[in-house]
Amino acid sequence: TTSLRTLAYSNGPQGDSYPDTALMDLKITGDGVSAGPTPASFALSGALPDLSGAPLAQHRSIELSEDPSAPNFFVNGRQFSMGAPTFDTPAKLGTVEEWTITNTSGEDHPFHMHSNAFQVTAVNGIPAPYPHRQDTVIVPHAVNGTPGRVVIRQQFSDYPGLWMFHCHIAAHEDHGMMGYIQVNP
């Protein structure tokens, strides 16, 4: 028997705090099963390739910010508009880009990319411990005036069109912290 818990979490001095809370109790019954052999490698067959050595077609910057006196959130100083892509220059299908995402606000922002998993290469200057793909990463809040910073590599290999990204806190997205990039063939 054990409990599944959410740990206490604060997303920064400007954000929210959540308590350590029990979510459910688990009770496992039945006969035990012995563990299988330990794999020699944790590499998964079919896993997406490591992008850390890939040639880069473009470097891009994204700044996440907010107005602490009102519920207004921004990507590169602008609130979301479907009529205006975040970047003037589209991405090209079949290329890899490196994006540096900074957060100037006093709360963490979970950056989420629709329909594409990216590879995190560094958080606040610390290299990522292993290569893998994910669709969301926490961009840490600013500390003593120094923005939080995440560097990702994006591979545009699936399809042309509009690729959306936003803060994964729904209220932040709904109040402007969202954007998109045009991906051309």
Side-chain angles (χ1 to χ4, degrees):
T1 301
T2 189
S3 289
L4 178 64
R5 309 187 65 80
T6 179
L7 298 177
Y9 180 76
S10 170
N11 71 341
Q14 202 173 306
D16 299 310
S17 292
Y18 303 93
D20 179 310
T21 304
L23 300 174
M24 70 167 58
D25 291 325
L26 300 171
K27 184 175 181 179
I28 301 168
T29 61
D31 296 331
V33 176
S34 63
T38 301
S41 167
F42 288 99
L44 299 173
S45 64
L48 296 169
D50 180 359
L51 299 176
S52 55
L56 299 175
Q58 180 98 7
H59 291 270
R60 297 185 193 263
S61 296
I62 293 179
E63 180 185 87
L64 306 176
S65 61
E66 62 185 83
D67 178 352
S69 65
N72 294 316
F73 297 86
F74 309 96
V75 173
N76 289 353
R78 296 185 313 189
Q79 289 189 296
F80 177 69
S81 168
M82 198 60 210
T86 304
F87 306 107
D88 293 332
T89 306
K92 186 171 186 256
L93 198 62
T95 65
V96 174
E97 295 187 356
E98 185 170 82
W99 293 13
T100 300
I101 308 162
T102 56
N103 178 3
T104 62
S105 75
E107 64 182 309
D108 298 347
H109 291 291
F111 177 85
H112 172 70
M113 186 78 180
H114 278 222
S115 53
N116 192 49
F118 49 79
Q119 181 175 322
V120 176
T121 61
V123 177
N124 282 343
I126 299 169
Y130 54 92
H132 68 281
R133 304 284 179 97
Q134 57 196 70
D135 67 2
T136 306
V137 63
I138 299 290
V139 183
H141 62 276
V143 175
N144 298 324
T146 301
R149 183 173 176 237
V150 171
V151 179
I152 65 172
R153 291 207 171 186
Q154 229 9 314
Q155 185 173 30
F156 297 102
S157 59
D158 294 333
Y159 60 89
L162 304 180
W163 292 35
M164 307 297 293
F165 53 86
H166 57 87
C167 176
H168 219 274
I169 297 172
H172 298 183
E173 169 197 345
D174 291 349
H175 289 97
M177 193 175 279
M178 186 160 134
Y180 69 90
I181 185 168
Q182 172 68 47
V183 179
N184 290 342

